[in-house]
Amino acid sequence: MSRDNLFSPLPPPGPDERFDTLFSSPHVRIERIVSHRHASPPGFWYDQAEDEWVMLAQGSAELEFDDGRREALAPGDWLLIPAGCRHRVAATGPDTVWLAVHVTP
């Protein structure tokens, strides 16, 4: 059995978002993502082969999709991003914590 806390310790702000794998199996990967006012680089789009369920646990964030839609997220908000749905992080606030579940088809 493993036990930890999603919110501690949070890494200090750095140049990049921090991705920590909390659980992994052949078809599922659960990550904690910590953002400190990060955004995807201009022109960069995530285009993943797996479905991603993402929940904003703490902080604030805005995602942008290649169809021009933007989704502002508050703590507790979640989205299911289907495989192949191009998206990017438009903005995040300080000490933003995400929980992401990636599911391979």
Side-chain angles (χ1 to χ4, degrees):
M1 178 183 336
S2 295
R3 181 176 180 211
D4 211 334
N5 187 292
L6 189 64
F7 301 108
S8 82
L10 289 183
D16 298 311
E17 289 182 298
R18 170 79 176 263
F19 294 81
D20 295 308
T21 299
L22 306 178
F23 172 81
S24 183
S25 74
H27 299 287
V28 175
R29 184 176 78 255
I30 301 173
E31 292 178 323
R32 176 183 80 168
I33 305 166
V34 179
S35 307
H36 295 283
R37 300 191 188 281
H38 292 101
S40 297
F44 174 83
W45 295 93
Y46 289 100
D47 189 358
Q48 301 166 160
E50 65 269 341
D51 293 333
E52 180 180 8
W53 179 92
V54 64
M55 182 188 77
L56 190 69
Q58 173 179 293
S60 62
E62 185 174 13
L63 295 179
E64 180 181 3
F65 296 86
D66 70 349
D67 63 4
R69 181 172 46 105
R70 287 181 171 248
E71 293 281 345
L73 302 174
D77 290 343
W78 62 268
L79 289 172
L80 177 60
I81 304 170
C85 179
R86 288 171 34 107
H87 63 285
R88 62 189 306 277
V89 177
T92 62
D95 296 325
T96 297
V97 179
W98 312 74
L99 186 62
V101 179
H102 301 268
V103 180
T104 303

